[in-house]
Amino acid sequence: EPEVTQTPSHQVTQMGQEVILRCVPISNHLYFYWYRQILGQKVEFLVSFYNNEISEKSEIFDDQFSVERPDGSNFTLKIRSTKLEDSAMYFCASSGRPGTTQETQYFGPGTRLLVL
Amino acid sequence: DAKTTQPNSMESNEEEPVHLPCNHSTISGTDYIHWYRQLPSQGPEYVIHGLTSNVNNRMASLAIAEDRKSSTLILHRATLRDAAVYYCILTSGTYKYIFGTGTRLKVLA
């Protein structure tokens, strides 16, 4: 069964450093998403991406965040200058077209980011 | 954004059926009802979804009320591996899924 994969599984970084989280979506999906979950809290939407453009983003997704699809398979989330409060699990998801029977989002296992 | 209401927690004995309820009284005609579950330290896992009719798959069944204002996820025989947080989410052509606090299911051996 196809699945979304994410690397690394864990990342420890110093405050102020840049991190790049990577995701390989399901191969025939064209809609991509990032969510995060701070320990003990809800899963929160960050951003959605389609056709090399951001479709929707939340207020969490400020100028420190960016997303990119550098090649035909990977989808990345970059945090330019990490803060302590960026420590969380970050989940990537992918789907077919929203509003259709293919809209179900499939999530990856997550990257646990710890900012020291 | 459409809202769903779920009990904070439920318990079940192993090998018994579990009915997880979800209320969504403000559902619109185009909203799909999606269920996900999240095991500790893992990503949300798709369980099942439906629009109007009841649905079955290898993991669970989804019973949707006739007025669509509520739904029930049915696990036919709970196992210890089913212990997780279960989320009911309404989607309607939107990009973002809004996760609530879900129902924490505890399965007793």
Side-chain angles (χ1 to χ4, degrees):
Chain A
E1 191 170 310
E3 58 181 19
V4 176
T5 59
Q6 291 185 241
T7 54
S9 57
H10 293 77
Q11 174 96 46
V12 181
T13 189
Q14 295 291 324
M15 191 168 56
Q17 295 296 304
E18 174 183 286
V19 294
I20 297 176
L21 311 182
R22 292 183 167 79
C23 170
V24 178
I26 291 173
S27 62
N28 63 342
H29 285 174
L30 297 178
Y31 295 80
F32 314 117
Y33 314 85
W34 284 99
Y35 292 78
R36 79 171 187 191
Q37 186 174 32
I38 295 171
L39 187 64
Q41 298 188 24
K42 298 179 190 178
V43 177
E44 301 174 286
F45 170 81
L46 292 177
V47 67
S48 60
F49 189 83
Y50 168 71
N51 200 26
N52 287 317
E53 289 186 0
I54 290 174
S55 314
E56 188 170 355
K57 62 182 182 178
S58 71
E59 61 274 9
I60 303 169
F61 193 87
D62 61 21
D63 292 344
Q64 293 300 313
F65 292 89
S66 63
V67 287
E68 191 179 33
R69 195 166 188 220
D71 55 46
S73 59
N74 288 289
F75 178 51
T76 63
L77 174 70
K78 182 193 290 186
I79 310 175
R80 291 193 184 84
S81 178
T82 50
K83 308 186 200 63
L84 296 176
E85 54 265 36
D86 293 327
S87 296
M89 281 285 281
Y90 287 82
F91 299 110
C92 169
S94 69
S95 76
R97 184 172 179 170
T100 72
T101 56
Q102 306 304 313
E103 72 168 34
T104 299
Q105 294 184 19
Y106 292 88
F107 288 76
T111 293
R112 183 176 296 282
L113 176 66
L114 178 60
V115 182
L116 301 176
Chain B
D1 296 320
K3 281 191 68 173
T4 61
T5 306
Q6 299 177 252
N8 287 333
S9 63
M10 291 184 67
E11 279 187 4
S12 172
N13 293 319
E14 200 176 8
E15 303 291 313
E16 290 187 357
V18 183
H19 289 61
L20 298 164
C22 181
N23 287 319
H24 29 79
S25 59
T26 59
I27 192 170
S28 73
T30 56
D31 283 335
Y32 283 92
I33 302 159
H34 275 83
W35 283 83
Y36 286 80
R37 71 181 186 182
Q38 188 176 25
L39 280 65
S41 298
Q42 295 190 26
E45 177 187 21
Y46 167 74
V47 177
I48 200 166
H49 78 286
L51 185 62
T52 55
S53 305
N54 294 344
V55 184
N56 299 296
N57 67 19
R58 63 178 176 81
M59 288 182 72
S61 295
L62 175 60
I64 301 173
E66 201 168 322
D67 63 5
R68 301 209 327 125
K69 294 186 176 183
S70 65
S71 61
T72 302
L73 178 70
I74 302 165
L75 307 178
H76 295 286
R77 289 177 66 208
T79 70
L80 296 177
R81 286 174 295 180
D82 292 322
V85 179
Y86 287 79
Y87 301 99
C88 166
I89 300 172
L90 300 185
T91 68
S92 179
T94 58
Y95 296 108
K96 68 179 180 186
Y97 280 11
I98 299 175
F99 286 80
T101 52
T103 296
R104 184 173 299 278
L105 176 65
K106 187 174 180 180
V107 180
L108 306 173

